[in-house]
Amino acid sequence: MHTYRGYYTSAMNLADTSDGDLTQRLKRRGWRLSAQRRVVAEVLQGEHVHLTAEDVFARAHVRLAEISQATVYNTLRELVAMGEVRVVTPPDGVKRYDPNVLVDHHHLMCMRCQLLKDVHPDGESGVTLANSERFGFDVWGFDIIFKGVCPSCKGRST
Amino acid sequence: MHTYRGYYTSAMNLADTSDGDLTQRLKRRGWRLSAQRRVVAEVLQGEHVHLTAEDVFARAHVRLAEISQATVYNTLRELVAMGEVRVVTPPDGVKRYDPNVLVDHHHLMCMRCQLLKDVHPDGESGVTLANSERFGFDVWGFDIIFKGVCPSCKGRST
DNA sequence: TTATCTGCAAAGGCTTTGCAGGTCG
DNA sequence: CGACCTGCAAAGCCTTTGCAGATAA
């Protein structure tokens, strides 16, 4: 297991589901809330699409010029380790960070520009794996990624 | 669009569905079949789990000591560009290569050791996205990744 | 106060690329 | 023969880390 730079233990691994406000939840956990961490949390919450670390840094930097990339990366990694943020990795291998861990959902991605959005598909609850298809695994969930082309990309040539 | 090192045009983008043998299909496409490329294709076909580029290189190197990592990476990228191999990117961001493009299927992954297997879920065909959930995208498909823990990892502590 | 966090810059893992030489068809 | 492919080594991206100074509680 990774050390997550030593700041967290795996005991802190269950997201509190009583409140939709990430910053509040972090405070309630007793997370040391520096200006940098608050800004990262705010940026994540303020978006309806899912951002890369670079995106988060860019937006955070506007609000707090002194923030560093390392801190953004470290903070995101810790939020994921705590279970307060979910990571989605598209085929390009660049991680996106999804702050919405309170409501079950899946994703829709533009295969052209990599835009990633939340969706709530129909029929999703009927998806199961037969025992013969489980190969002895303990299966605890699944993610669906819908693939398509977004409105702005439809017009473009490449 | 990427250039795929210039060897392929986007016109060569549809996988031939008439034969399960990758090497045969490549030959039929008129792909210049060097020893290196043949070995990469063979390694992919011979596995029932999906390998990383590093795995492919290791196995290929056993069969053909002179093969280089660069060639493995380039060959894999080209196979993907041709549509003869599919890429799956787990949360760790390390790409896995799936030679089975002829039969629709989804994946089951061990979240501990990252082992990736093919599966054919029940109810999968009922999954759809309502128009209100499409946000103007043209949606052409979806991937499902089942998450779990494999038999060998169940016994371990970490 | 002091354990924890931050910024910087360097390092690390995976993948791509420039180029000179070799090879398939 | 000639277009295409390979290996090597260097470079590129994204992400992590060591460390000294700063800071929340």
Side-chain angles (χ1 to χ4, degrees):
Chain A
M1 182 104 185
H2 302 272
T3 59
Y4 300 115
R5 212 167 177 167
Y7 305 154
Y8 295 94
T9 67
S10 55
M12 308 176 77
N13 210 17
L14 297 170
D16 173 2
T17 55
S18 64
D19 191 322
D21 181 15
L22 178 56
T23 313
Q24 291 308 312
R25 295 203 307 273
L26 295 174
K27 198 169 292 177
R28 210 175 307 131
R29 270 174 187 277
W31 208 46
R32 187 160 155 181
L33 210 43
S34 63
Q36 290 86 339
R37 289 176 166 190
R38 185 166 26 249
V39 166
V40 168
E42 287 169 4
V43 164
L44 285 173
Q45 284 188 112
E47 295 290 333
H48 290 150
V49 296
H50 302 325
L51 306 176
T52 63
E54 188 184 353
D55 295 333
V56 172
F57 174 69
R59 286 167 171 72
H61 188 261
V62 171
R63 298 182 180 217
L64 180 70
E66 307 77 35
I67 199 170
S68 71
Q69 289 212 54
T71 295
V72 169
Y73 274 107
N74 290 332
T75 302
L76 289 172
R77 187 158 26 76
E78 291 164 29
L79 288 169
V80 171
M82 288 189 291
E84 294 289 2
V85 165
R86 176 173 161 189
V87 83
V88 183
T89 310
D92 69 359
V94 180
K95 295 173 182 165
R96 320 276 156 153
Y97 297 88
D98 175 355
N100 181 190
V101 293
L102 301 182
V103 179
D104 258 330
H105 65 280
H106 295 286
H107 294 100
L108 168 60
M109 183 165 52
C110 175
M111 303 307 277
R112 213 105 110 190
C113 71
Q114 311 285 133
L115 180 78
L116 192 66
K117 291 182 72 82
D118 288 348
V119 290
H120 304 81
D122 298 327
E124 165 239 333
S125 53
V127 178
T128 56
L129 262 193
N131 275 324
S132 59
E133 290 279 284
R134 294 191 180 211
F135 305 100
F137 280 55
D138 282 344
V139 179
W140 48 268
F142 59 88
D143 292 333
I144 303 177
I145 298 189
F146 288 86
K147 298 173 289 188
V149 181
C150 75
S152 359
C153 284
K154 276 192 230 175
R156 293 173 210 156
S157 47
T158 29
Chain B
M1 182 105 186
H2 302 272
T3 57
Y4 301 115
R5 212 166 178 168
Y7 305 155
Y8 295 94
T9 67
S10 55
M12 310 177 76
N13 209 17
L14 298 170
D16 173 1
T17 54
S18 65
D19 191 322
D21 181 14
L22 179 55
T23 313
Q24 292 308 313
R25 295 203 306 275
L26 296 174
K27 197 169 295 177
R28 210 174 306 131
R29 269 175 188 276
W31 209 45
R32 189 160 155 180
L33 210 43
S34 64
Q36 289 88 336
R37 288 175 166 189
R38 185 166 27 249
V39 166
V40 169
E42 287 168 5
V43 164
L44 285 173
Q45 285 187 113
E47 295 289 335
H48 290 149
V49 297
H50 302 326
L51 306 175
T52 63
E54 189 183 353
D55 295 333
V56 172
F57 173 68
R59 286 165 170 73
H61 188 261
V62 172
R63 298 183 180 217
L64 180 69
E66 307 76 34
I67 198 170
S68 70
Q69 290 212 54
T71 296
V72 169
Y73 275 106
N74 290 332
T75 302
L76 290 171
R77 188 158 27 75
E78 290 164 30
L79 287 169
V80 171
M82 287 189 290
E84 293 289 0
V85 164
R86 176 172 159 190
V87 164
V88 184
T89 309
D92 68 358
V94 180
K95 295 172 183 166
R96 319 278 155 151
Y97 297 88
D98 176 355
N100 182 190
V101 294
L102 301 182
V103 180
D104 258 330
H105 65 281
H106 296 286
H107 294 100
L108 168 59
M109 182 164 51
C110 175
M111 303 308 276
R112 215 104 109 190
C113 70
Q114 311 286 134
L115 180 77
L116 192 66
K117 290 183 72 80
D118 288 349
V119 290
H120 305 80
D122 297 327
E124 164 240 332
S125 52
V127 179
T128 55
L129 215 45
N131 275 324
S132 60
E133 290 279 285
R134 295 190 179 212
F135 304 101
F137 279 55
D138 283 343
V139 179
W140 49 267
F142 58 88
D143 291 332
I144 303 178
I145 298 190
F146 287 86
K147 298 173 289 189
V149 181
C150 76
S152 0
C153 284
K154 277 192 225 173
R156 293 174 208 154
S157 47
T158 28

